[in-house]
Amino acid sequence: MSAKKETLGKTIGVVLAVCLVCSIVVSGAAVGLRSLQQTNAALDKQTNIIEAAGLTEKAAGDIAGTYEKFVEERFVDLATGAYVEAPHSGYDMYKSAKDPQLSSKVEGKNIGFLSRANIASVYIVKNEAGNVERVILPVHGSGLWDLMYGFLALDADGNTVKELVYYKHKETPGLGAEILNPSWKAKWSGKKVYDNGEVAIQVKKNAGPDNTYAVDALSGATLTSNGVQNTLTYWLGENGFKPYLTKQSWKS
């Protein structure tokens, strides 16, 4: 009887020891990989901003260097449209949207989120001469299945679309996921977002290439198309980047 207890005790001891060693190894690997994961996440973000900036070919494999040379991240108080300092080092507008002290409740329906950060990032793109060529705005809103995240690049006039680049979504392949299709993305270039100060950009059926303010809706993906529309209507509106775009501080 005692032998059986001793054997059982040894077995349990070995199992616990193995579990302890495995947990230490897994924890160590997680800590060791954290820095690499953060670096990869930053590079992925820069890659999408570089695309929105129209600098993909110029980057030629040096995303970080091109970003550092031509792109400047600034922070904007969405209520006033004025540039401000980041609330803290490593500031993230999406994480801050969950902090009641750093965010405001969203007004409007069908947006997909209940609050947004008071301070938002914007990305100023300059050419070799130091002149502003584009202003990139981070935007997000509901799609069919979840939130869709992207970058809206405007010309230095603050009213003409250059690129709309979505980089995170859960839309259906072949339908809503066509927001990543180069042919659909190309339709945005040159479209105007405001008409007499009001948000005029539309996503609608059979818009046609000659419509100054509209882009064709995605075939078979009505809810995704509506999501893009609602996203742009919100972020280009009074509670989004409109106060900033009205000031056009990048010109001063």
Side-chain angles (χ1 to χ4, degrees):
M1 187 69 176
S2 60
K4 290 183 178 179
K5 289 184 178 179
E6 183 177 350
T7 301
L8 179 60
K10 287 182 178 179
T11 300
I12 294 174
V14 170
V15 170
L16 292 176
V18 170
C19 290
L20 178 61
V21 171
C22 289
S23 65
I24 293 174
V25 171
V26 171
S27 298
V31 172
L33 291 173
R34 185 175 302 160
S35 178
L36 179 60
Q37 292 171 340
Q38 292 174 342
T39 299
N40 288 339
L43 182 60
D44 183 63
K45 178 180 178 180
Q46 291 177 354
T47 299
N48 287 290
I49 292 174
I50 287 295
E51 180 182 352
L55 297 172
T56 300
E57 291 186 7
K58 183 173 288 188
D62 184 12
I63 297 296
T66 303
Y67 180 92
E68 180 70 22
K69 182 176 181 180
F70 296 105
V71 181
E72 178 186 9
E73 181 179 11
R74 299 290 301 271
F75 299 94
V76 173
D77 183 336
L78 292 177
T80 66
Y83 286 129
V84 295
E85 294 296 321
H88 55 76
S89 177
Y91 177 76
D92 185 313
M93 61 180 283
Y94 293 123
K95 292 181 180 178
S96 296
K98 301 176 182 179
D99 185 339
Q101 301 299 317
L102 298 175
S103 63
S104 298
K105 291 184 179 180
V106 167
E107 298 178 7
K109 299 179 180 179
N110 303 318
I111 306 301
F113 52 95
L114 300 177
S115 60
R116 57 99 171 125
N118 295 327
I119 307 300
S121 297
V122 295
Y123 302 89
I124 312 302
V125 183
K126 298 182 180 181
N127 58 23
E128 295 279 0
N131 299 317
V132 176
E133 291 194 330
R134 299 187 185 192
V135 179
I136 300 175
L137 312 175
V139 298
H140 70 290
S142 62
L144 173 59
W145 302 112
D146 204 346
L147 292 178
M148 304 184 295
Y149 294 81
F151 293 111
L152 175 66
L154 300 179
D155 186 79
D157 64 5
N159 191 44
T160 305
V161 178
K162 303 299 289 185
E163 305 277 355
L164 177 60
V165 176
Y166 276 101
Y167 62 90
K168 182 181 179 181
H169 70 89
K170 294 183 180 179
E171 301 307 282
T172 306
L175 296 173
E178 289 297 289
I179 54 175
L180 303 183
N181 190 316
S183 64
W184 189 74
K185 290 162 66 174
K187 294 179 180 181
W188 288 90
S189 181
K191 301 299 182 181
K192 303 296 183 180
V193 296
Y194 296 111
D195 184 16
N196 293 322
E198 299 297 324
V199 178
I201 190 71
Q202 296 181 25
V203 181
K204 67 178 187 177
K205 292 183 179 179
N206 304 315
D210 298 326
N211 191 320
T212 303
Y213 299 99
V215 172
D216 289 326
L218 295 166
S219 179
T222 300
L223 293 180
T224 302
S225 297
N226 290 344
V228 175
Q229 176 70 73
N230 293 334
T231 295
L232 296 182
T233 299
Y234 179 81
W235 286 107
L236 291 169
E238 295 290 348
N239 294 310
F241 289 105
K242 186 176 180 180
Y244 169 66
L245 294 173
T246 300
K247 282 181 176 292
Q248 296 198 3
S249 300
W250 57 89
K251 292 184 176 180
S252 58

